[in-house]
Amino acid sequence: MTPLTPELEKKLMTAVDRMPAFPRSVQKVLELTRNINCLPKELVGVLEKDPVMTMKILKVINSAYYSMPNKITSMNQSVIYLGINTVKNLALSFAAVGILPKVNTAGFDIQRYLVHSLTTATVARHLCTKSGSNEIDPGDCYVAGLLHDFGKVVFAQFMAPEFCKALELGDKMPLYEAERQIIGVDHGVAGAMLAKRWQFPEALVQCIRDHHRSDVKSTLMMDCVRLADQICRKVYLSSEERQQDWMAQKPIVDRFGDNLEAIVASLGDFDKIVAEAVVFVQVESKA
Amino acid sequence: MKIRFWGVRGSIPSPGPKTVRYGGNTTCIEVRSDDGELIILDAGSGIFPLAQTLLKELPVKAHVFITHTHWDHIHGLPFFIPFFIPGNSVRIHGAYDVISSQGIEQIMDVQMQYSYFPIREAELKACIEYQTLEIGEVVTIGDATVTNTLLKPFFIPFFIPGNSVRIHGAYDVISSQGIEQIMDVQMQYSYFPIREAELKACIEYQTLEIGEVVTIGDATVTNTLLNHPVIDFGYRVDCQGKSMFFTGDHEPWFNIYDEGDEGYAEYQTMVDEKQQQMDEVVRGVDVLIMDCSYTAAEYPAKKGWGHSTFDYAITLARRAGVKKLVCTHHEPTRSDDELERVFAEVCRNCQRLPGDPEILLSREGMELDL
């Protein structure tokens, strides 16, 4: 695996503090915080659906300053430690950075990215619960799913020309391979670098870094995220032919059986999961 | 260990006939270790009368612990007179602020920008004159010569009536301002230069990590993260087998979900864990000094404001095997009579059990000898 060059690492590190969040969550945060008595649970409900906000809150709570005995991945736990007022002010400061454009100069569809992240998160949590293992918390799988492609937004926002080329090349090969060719590293490595620098739990860092690598030993968390990732790609397969192709695929991990369709069916109402994500992502237009 | 209360009021100093028995100063607690180490918990307006008494024991070596940086816990700090006296040494401990990404020294810097304005205008009794100098100009005064150098705005004689001080300084060609203007500006940012160069007392700042234990002579101070709209540390002081805990401002953690919500049970587990952690730090202390701003009846309207009730404090004190509970952070609008009435009612309702802690109200000037 190619490591990040120091220049690239530096570029990405400085970039993320300036990273805007998603339009819908910025809108919701501003709306909720206008009311001094806004319900904490509503605020948490918004933050935990936005990869940028989640990333930034986790950055604060896991910073060396707090020296938590256990690393924290949950929004709720962050609220307990930081207090809802601090979380509210942090959210406002994130909102003040601005909003990600719907489609940026790299031609990257930010709404589609968000729907994919949200559905992957939800499906990964379901899979974890289904596994019946006490090894990891389903909530951790949710966060891993939400953040697994974080590197893509970073590329899109701060390395637009390179990422644009990678997206073009991505028509002919998997995007992560295109990224490795054009940028030098894939989005997993870039996202993991940030997660590591911010002292996120090691399991989460690994999961973000290696979710496109078949040569590393998988963990339950990674299995959940990789399979959820595969399942959720179904959402954007438009033609019937491609849907057929998808159904013929073998599950990327064998822990949950060898029939992709059966796994999807076992999730309960997959279409509802997708519909909820789509609703969340949609920005209400101002009347 | 000795504990003395110099300020027991919450939010804002509340002097006047109605608060004369319990006192109107905001939070400040003096803790003396058996070897005489001086620990000051919070720097509300109560720190000013404390400072007066310290002038009898110069040089002062003090450790100030800031629970959190809301005004009522720091607004006495600029009036901590030992700052101005050579040979003193003050160490200020406090939390890191995640919103402004600043340690305790930065927070104090900002506070002190605001604070010195009135002092310059009203408090300084010395006669001060300004003279704008040419750059490099040397002034001879009697047998001394003065070359322009860093200003000394908090030169102690400024504070003493009858003194006469003449300030010489350069004209600034960039801002087109004479020395008097430059003084003005410098006063706003006053504490940086004073801390570093001007004040002869040695002032150090220490931003604490969560759970970091500080040893001061024969005493140790342990912090724990509590629940308030800003980062708030509760501090436990242990000294030769005796111990006390002070909450600063604290509200019981509460579930943000309603019963029946999906996240309710999970959140409740975390709330319980956090309370458990606090209980462990408080466990067995001789004295628990606790924010008891509200009665149980008042609390619902104040939920989320960051303060506790008498009932929560009593339950906690019982659970943690505390020997003595001192209720403090009295509501600024509560008169002495009202405070006593409310307290009597709380005591009546809590049905004393054998082994219960002694419960009392904090009062300015009260001393506890452990």
Side-chain angles (χ1 to χ4, degrees), chain B residues 159-356:
Chain B
F159 295 88
I160 301 168
N163 289 342
S164 164
V165 182
R166 193 171 186 88
I167 297 172
H168 309 259
Y171 182 83
D172 181 1
V173 291
I174 303 294
S175 62
S176 308
Q177 288 178 334
I179 188 65
E180 67 279 30
Q181 288 300 314
I182 292 163
M183 270 292 277
D184 264 1
V185 174
Q186 192 200 11
M187 290 272 191
Q188 290 174 25
Y189 292 93
S190 55
Y191 264 81
F192 234 110
I194 291 207
R195 177 164 61 86
E196 300 291 341
E198 257 65 43
L199 288 183
K200 293 296 186 265
C202 161
I203 303 174
E204 296 174 271
Y205 295 87
Q206 183 170 355
T207 300
L208 295 171
E209 290 195 4
I210 292 170
E212 187 178 344
V213 178
V214 179
T215 303
I216 297 162
D218 57 342
T220 56
V221 182
T222 313
N223 71 64
T224 188
L225 185 59
L226 299 183
N227 185 36
H228 196 59
V230 282
I231 297 295
D232 178 284
F233 278 158
Y235 291 112
R236 176 177 171 133
V237 184
D238 284 274
C239 175
Q240 307 200 9
K242 297 292 180 182
S243 54
M244 61 87 69
F245 185 93
F246 174 49
T247 55
D249 291 1
H250 170 63
E251 175 171 6
W253 293 275
F254 57 85
N255 202 320
I256 64 171
Y257 295 95
D258 298 319
E259 261 176 280
D261 285 349
E262 195 191 329
Y264 181 84
E266 187 201 355
Y267 202 92
Q268 193 55 46
T269 313
M270 294 191 289
V271 166
D272 295 344
E273 273 171 15
K274 205 70 192 70
Q275 186 59 59
Q276 178 82 25
Q277 280 173 17
M278 179 185 182
D279 286 10
E280 288 317 312
V281 181
V282 174
R283 188 161 310 284
V285 289
D286 294 289
V287 177
L288 168 62
I289 304 168
M290 183 135 180
D291 172 0
C292 295
S293 294
Y294 309 128
T295 63
E298 289 162 345
Y299 178 67
K302 319 274 184 179
K303 195 170 173 180
W305 292 19
H307 301 287
S308 296
T309 62
F310 289 98
D311 292 357
Y312 168 72
I314 292 168
T315 316
L316 168 62
R318 278 177 174 157
R319 206 170 50 227
V322 168
K323 297 190 185 63
K324 193 187 294 256
L325 168 66
V326 183
C327 303
T328 193
H329 205 275
H330 309 316
E331 257 286 288
T333 54
R334 238 195 270 285
S335 67
D336 288 333
D337 290 345
E338 181 67 4
L339 183 60
E340 284 176 349
R341 190 191 63 73
V342 159
F343 184 64
E345 193 179 307
V346 166
C347 292
R348 237 189 347 268
N349 291 342
C350 79
Q351 300 190 349
R352 313 276 302 157
L353 305 169
D356 258 5

Side-chain angles (χ1 to χ4, degrees), chain A residues 56-209:
Chain A
K56 288 183 175 190
I57 297 263
L58 293 183
K59 178 186 172 195
V60 172
I61 188 78
N62 288 306
S63 68
Y65 170 61
Y66 281 98
S67 51
M68 293 291 175
N70 302 307
K71 293 291 175 187
I72 286 176
T73 50
S74 118
M75 257 330 88
N76 278 333
Q77 226 171 336
S78 305
V79 171
I80 293 252
Y81 276 92
L82 295 169
I84 189 66
N85 272 282
T86 299
V87 169
K88 189 160 92 179
N89 277 285
L90 286 171
L92 267 173
S93 70
F94 305 156
V97 174
I99 53 171
L100 283 165
K102 254 188 189 174
V103 177
N104 72 0
T105 48
F108 180 64
D109 184 339
I110 214 84
Q111 295 215 5
R112 179 174 159 162
Y113 161 86
L114 191 50
V115 169
H116 178 71
S117 297
L118 268 173
T119 47
T120 304
T122 308
V123 171
R125 180 167 54 198
H126 273 290
L127 290 172
C128 182
T129 309
K130 237 166 75 73
S131 78
S133 163
N134 294 325
E135 188 189 325
I136 48 169
D137 188 295
D140 289 352
C141 279
Y142 175 89
V143 173
L146 188 72
L147 299 179
H148 78 287
D149 275 348
F150 191 76
K152 285 188 191 172
V153 223
V154 178
F155 285 158
Q157 190 67 10
F158 299 106
M159 302 182 70
E162 296 93 333
F163 192 52
C164 187
K165 275 187 210 151
L167 285 170
E168 279 168 23
L169 192 59
D171 287 341
K172 302 188 196 85
M173 60 177 79
L175 180 61
Y176 56 89
E177 277 180 17
E179 290 167 343
R180 286 173 196 161
Q181 280 189 23
I182 307 267
I183 299 171
V185 293
D186 64 45
H187 59 268
V189 174
M193 184 274 289
L194 297 168
K196 192 174 174 65
R197 185 65 76 93
W198 294 339
Q199 306 181 50
F200 288 15
E202 187 52 33
L204 182 56
V205 175
Q206 268 178 24
C207 194
I208 296 173
R209 185 184 60 216

